[in-house]
Amino acid sequence: EAVGETGLDVLCNNAGVMASKEVGTMPCSGARWERYHQTKLANLVFTLALRDRVVTAGSKVKVMVAHPGVAATELQVHSVSDGGMSGGVANLIVSQSAEDGALGILMSCCDPAVQSGGLYGPGGQGLKGMAKLLPAAPEEKLADEASRTLLWEASEEATGRKFAI
């Protein structure tokens, strides 16, 4: 059975817990943070692949991606407690509440004016502030058609299901 045939399925990612304690010399660097960054890019690539398929199918469904910026969540707590980030660095970069970090997601879900394929997140240098539509060009360059197809097919294989649009 294809995903979506029996109702609404939601795909979520919580990349806040990373396994390795390998840390780089700069804040938010090293193997663990590289994996974290890759999961965020994968979310964007998958969103754009889904958007492309929805458009091709002639659907009116909108597909968006959102990010919280830097918010006071368990990601920082966990990273500090297991040595992935110093408490001083965490205090310097945590710049908004978890509730404010949810604004991009809320905008994507509730604002009828959102654009399909849009990236929504904090407007203050991408780290904090009111959510808004962010420029897509830098990220879209990293999400070419080959990457979209590869991730889509790998996701279907990993789940053992075909995603019906």
Side-chain angles (χ1 to χ4, degrees), residues 13-105:
N13 173 33
N14 178 2
V17 178
M18 298 167 280
S20 172
K21 292 187 180 202
E22 302 162 17
V23 181
T25 57
M26 297 297 293
C28 303
S29 68
R32 71 179 309 149
W33 288 100
E34 192 58 34
R35 284 188 296 280
Y36 174 79
H37 298 147
Q38 289 297 317
T39 64
K40 298 300 144 191
L41 178 58
N43 283 339
L44 176 69
V45 172
F46 192 89
T47 298
L48 295 174
L50 178 57
R51 180 207 55 196
D52 295 347
R53 285 159 176 80
V54 164
V55 168
T56 299
S59 173
K60 293 180 181 179
V61 170
K62 291 181 178 180
V63 181
M64 289 76 63
V65 66
H67 81 90
V70 180
T73 67
E74 288 299 308
L75 172 60
Q76 282 76 23
V77 172
H78 179 78
S79 294
V80 170
S81 70
D82 77 358
M85 176 192 306
S86 75
V89 169
N91 288 336
L92 287 174
I93 66 171
V94 174
S95 57
Q96 65 182 352
S97 69
E99 292 81 8
D100 286 344
L103 292 175
I105 295 166

Side-chain angles (χ1 to χ4, degrees), residues 83-130:
M85 176 192 306
S86 75
V89 169
N91 288 336
L92 287 174
I93 66 171
V94 174
S95 57
Q96 65 182 352
S97 69
E99 292 81 8
D100 286 344
L103 292 175
I105 295 166
L106 290 170
M107 180 179 232
S108 294
C109 294
C110 302
D111 185 343
V114 294
Q115 298 175 14
S116 190
L119 169 61
Y120 292 86
Q125 299 175 331
L127 299 176
K128 66 179 183 175
M130 291 301 298

